[in-house]
Amino acid sequence: MDTMEEPAGFFSLHLNIQEQSTSSELNVKLASHLKRINSYKDIPIQFAVKNTIGFIYTCQSNYYEAEKKFEGILKEDPRNLNALANLEELCRRLKRTKDSKRYRTQLKDYSKYDACKARCLVEKGYIVAFDTYDVSYEVNYELSTNYFEQAIRTKGLSSEEIKTCHCFIGINYVRKYLNPMHQAEDYCQSFEHLFEATTSNNKKIQATCWSYLGNLVGYKPPADKIMEYQQLLQDPTSNTEIYQYTRSVRKLRVPQTLEKNSELKDYWYRNDYRGCFEKALTILPEDTDTLNKYAKVIVRKNKKKALALLHDSICFDPTESNWYAHQMRAQIYMQIGEDEYEEYKEADTIHNLQMAKDDFVRICNCTPDRSTQLGQLAQVYHLLSHYENPDSNMKLALATFTQALQKTDEVSSHQYKLLHEWHGDCLQEYDEQLQAIESYKRAVECSWKNEKRNNTMKNLLSLLRNKYDQVKSDKDLGELVYWVYVCKEKNDKFEEELKEYTSSIISLAEKCIARKNLDIADHFLDVIFSELHEEQKNRVKTLKLAIITEKHIMTLVEQSNDDRAKVSDEEQPSLSTLSVEDNLSETSCKQVAMQPNVEIQAEHTCMLSPLPQAYNAGFEYDFFVCHSPKDSIWVYYNLLTKLETGYNLKGCVEDRDFLPGESIINSRTTAIKKSYKVLAIVSKDFLNNDQCQHQYQQAMITREPGTPPKVIPIKIDDCTMPDDLALYTCIDVKKSYDWEKLERILKCP
């Protein structure tokens, strides 16, 4: 980035403060920056804070206060390029062209000075570093670091200002390192810059550097990663030492910085992050940032010490700007209540949960759009229901969970999984088994591969087994089989969940073959194959061969003329060419493949029965599902169970709802017209299916003029959206909070 061409002012930056933050988030951000003014009042970085405050006022449409803040900066620093540029833009927006021109002239005059340009870059680096309402943290940190490094290269800064730049560059590297995709390079770079800034004359800068060094000592990367990075640099002056790391002795090249400071070197080798934090608190005892970071590092080993640190932090700053201390203290109290440690008596547990509730209520009041805190508050109500006011606390929990689930756009996959897991536990205790099943399903979808904690999967499968055992319906068995398969994909421990049901599943697969639901039958047989004894395996192989034969016949029929001429025996596939083992009887295979359809009673189909009435008045169905046959298993046991059981919506799918003997084209046209919305289940198989494309294109044509779009694309795997569907907002089931969005779309206001 060329510093000469970089325009001054914050309005030229693409900041999330301006584009994404809600009013409550802006208020919290404003309070935190107002607190920083006193910390940085003796050094030029204070103007970065003041410019940021003025910019936040502008985002709040508080133009009068914004102008006062920018003008106040110019009284102290008449050559502040960012204040001049911000005022020029503000006056232009307010239609004050003369004032705008005056500020633009001054900006042009002062832009030729290196010191002015360098400080302008420092201030930009600051606001980008603290523009933290974006999920792309690393991009922001890299841009911020770029600004600070350019400011140093401009050579217009004092030595104290350069140390401040090193401090914030080090902070950026620490934040990058502490993110999930951290690298040893970020770790080593942060050490160099933070140590450089520890000699600053400003106590806030010194304390900040030592607290972040404490983070680095407390969260070391694997030793071989540091070695790899140092070898990459080919630094011959690096010192080689023996260091014990994770119970093994390895040769570790430590950052050269440690050789410059024996105190820091001692902390690093003894893994004494406490020493770094205590030094920071010696420099600035009332620094809430240091207290909060110290508590975060120590909480796993010593909850009581962490609570004491957070209590001190809240005493020093009880305002909403210190919301993080309230949140962390609430989480610790909630964990204590959740774990029910033996050293805590029932009265202590109730007290801890009450403290957690009070802190979460405070947080939610100042940041009401944060679903994570709402979910945690709901869980506290749930836990409190075990000790006092069970009915009212349980109802409060369910109401707060619902509120949290309506605000989940910014939630990570893991947080969403935890939110639904808690919600499922709460619903199960409230004896809402079917709704609990749906919550557990959403949690399982967001689970990591081979996650150690698999209680959600156990609870889901237990409820599904109980549901099937009560009525022995095929649709419940099919649902159980599908979710066992999903759990097996997520966790290898669920290999033997279906042993007792293998005979029933084979019988269900036979019915699916008879009904021409071949992909579903194939899927069921694949799930149970490894659990079968030899006789059952032979039977399954025979059924698999029947499926292959039927699929081939159906393909030939689709390609035949309208008179549906009989397929000759010569056109049928030779059984010897099919991909099954040769020890099967050709006669038995033909008997299975060509047997007449068995009579299946409606209550024993493998699909849900539709609801008697649609939710949306004036329509027979709330939605029609357009999908590839290969995606049937997902449609029947994920989509329909969620929308019809969970949300009480009436759907229409071909296999279940079309009458036999009717024209398929006419039935589709009628179903689309009688449906409020059409759900296009977009997958790789969907894109290769001409009939699917014809269906959603037909739905687009049948849309009444002036009405909302009828088609809702639902993406279930990684594929490219067709051009005509790309015009519509897509529901992505991998972002599981989109289920709640889908419910709101399908329920006509």
Side-chain angles (χ1 to χ4, degrees), residues 594-605:
M594 304 307 167
Q595 63 181 331
N597 290 353
V598 297
E599 185 176 335
I600 304 175
Q601 297 178 3
E603 63 269 19
H604 292 300
T605 60

Side-chain angles (χ1 to χ4, degrees), residues 337 340 346 349-350 353 382-390 393:
E340 297 180 351
E346 181 175 321
T349 303
I350 294 174
L353 291 173
H382 178 206
L383 295 172
L384 274 171
S385 71
H386 299 157
Y387 301 98
E388 60 180 21
N389 303 323
N393 277 321

Side-chain angles (χ1 to χ4, degrees), residues 586-706:
E586 184 173 322
T587 303
S588 65
C589 293
K590 282 189 175 182
Q591 287 174 349
V592 174
M594 304 307 167
Q595 63 181 331
N597 290 353
V598 297
E599 185 176 335
I600 304 175
Q601 297 178 3
E603 63 269 19
H604 292 300
T605 60
C606 58
M607 290 176 278
L608 290 170
S609 300
L611 296 174
Q613 187 175 354
Y615 177 90
N616 296 286
F619 294 92
E620 186 174 341
Y621 304 104
D622 294 307
F623 61 91
F624 172 76
V625 186
C626 168
H627 66 94
S628 163
K630 293 186 178 180
D631 298 322
S632 297
I633 190 76
W634 184 89
V635 170
Y636 297 154
Y637 301 118
N638 201 339
L639 180 74
L640 291 182
T641 55
K642 179 62 177 175
L643 298 184
E644 295 189 337
T645 303
Y647 296 149
N648 294 319
L649 295 164
K650 184 178 181 180
C652 177
V653 288
E654 287 190 16
D655 290 347
R656 182 186 68 183
D657 300 304
F658 283 11
L659 295 175
E662 297 286 341
S663 166
I664 292 180
I665 295 177
N666 291 339
S667 296
R668 284 174 183 163
T669 304
T670 303
I672 289 171
K673 287 182 178 179
K674 291 183 177 180
S675 299
Y676 176 58
K677 296 289 184 183
V678 173
L679 307 183
I681 312 303
V682 183
S683 65
K684 294 173 184 176
D685 295 314
F686 177 93
L687 298 177
N688 295 325
N689 190 305
D690 293 336
Q691 290 190 19
C692 291
Q693 297 185 39
H694 175 265
Q695 286 181 54
Y696 78 74
Q697 288 168 355
Q698 186 179 7
M700 292 177 180
I701 296 172
T702 58
R703 173 188 171 188
E704 296 290 337

Side-chain angles (χ1 to χ4, degrees), residues 187-188 191-192 226 230 238 253-259 268:
Y187 183 85
C188 295
F191 244 107
E192 305 292 334
I226 296 183
Q230 293 289 1
S238 293
R253 290 181 184 268
V254 301
Q256 187 178 353
T257 301
L258 295 182
E259 299 303 318
W268 197 83

Side-chain angles (χ1 to χ4, degrees), residues 344-558:
Y344 291 95
K345 299 178 181 179
E346 181 175 321
D348 295 328
T349 303
I350 294 174
H351 172 264
N352 292 329
L353 291 173
Q354 288 285 2
M355 291 290 293
K357 183 193 75 172
D358 294 342
D359 276 336
F360 278 131
V361 168
R362 185 184 182 95
I363 297 164
C364 293
N365 286 337
C366 68
T367 57
D369 297 314
R370 296 195 169 192
S371 60
T372 302
Q373 285 76 24
L374 282 169
Q376 290 169 329
L377 175 60
Q379 177 66 354
V380 170
Y381 283 132
H382 178 206
L383 295 172
L384 274 171
S385 71
H386 299 157
Y387 301 98
E388 60 180 21
N389 303 323
D391 187 59
S392 60
N393 277 321
M394 185 66 80
K395 289 178 180 177
L396 274 170
L398 291 171
T400 311
F401 274 127
T402 301
Q403 189 180 357
L405 288 167
Q406 294 171 352
K407 301 175 179 290
T408 49
D409 288 38
E410 79 280 5
V411 175
S412 69
S413 177
H414 178 67
Q415 289 171 327
Y416 186 85
K417 178 251 182 187
L418 197 58
L419 181 59
H420 263 302
E421 180 182 332
W422 287 340
H423 193 202
D425 293 341
C426 193
L427 287 165
Q428 189 174 0
E429 282 190 33
Y430 203 68
D431 201 26
E432 289 287 348
Q433 309 300 330
L434 294 180
Q435 298 300 331
I437 287 172
E438 295 305 317
S439 280
Y440 286 140
K441 286 178 183 177
R442 304 289 78 80
V444 168
E445 287 175 331
C446 298
S447 298
W448 297 331
K449 178 73 175 176
N450 287 328
E451 191 174 338
K452 290 183 179 179
R453 180 177 175 175
N454 53 27
N455 291 338
T456 306
M457 298 181 188
K458 291 178 180 177
N459 291 341
L460 171 61
L461 297 182
S462 175
L463 288 177
L464 289 174
R465 280 196 300 269
N466 292 340
K467 182 182 172 186
Y468 169 69
D469 290 339
Q470 287 175 6
V471 293
K472 298 291 184 182
S473 71
D474 287 345
K475 61 178 178 291
D476 292 333
L477 180 59
E479 186 180 9
L480 172 61
V481 175
Y482 172 76
W483 283 101
V484 167
Y485 168 77
V486 173
C487 292
K488 284 173 67 176
E489 290 292 303
K490 296 278 188 178
N491 197 306
D492 299 334
K493 294 181 180 179
F494 293 92
E495 288 291 339
E496 300 185 357
E497 288 290 331
L498 291 173
K499 267 192 174 181
E500 59 185 293
Y501 302 113
T502 52
S503 298
S504 300
I505 294 170
I506 292 173
S507 176
L508 177 60
E510 291 174 343
K511 295 177 183 178
C512 289
I513 294 172
R515 291 179 57 87
K516 310 301 182 186
N517 293 324
L518 303 179
D519 289 303
I520 295 178
D522 202 16
H523 178 83
F524 288 165
L525 297 175
D526 286 340
V527 172
I528 63 169
F529 189 80
S530 61
E531 311 297 333
L532 304 176
H533 54 69
E534 196 61 34
E535 183 180 346
Q536 288 177 322
K537 283 185 177 181
N538 288 334
R539 179 60 181 157
V540 167
K541 291 173 184 177
T542 304
L543 292 173
K544 295 279 281 185
L545 182 55
I547 292 171
I548 295 171
T549 306
E550 286 286 0
K551 283 185 176 181
H552 187 80
I553 293 173
M554 291 173 66
T555 301
L556 294 177
V557 169
E558 288 176 1

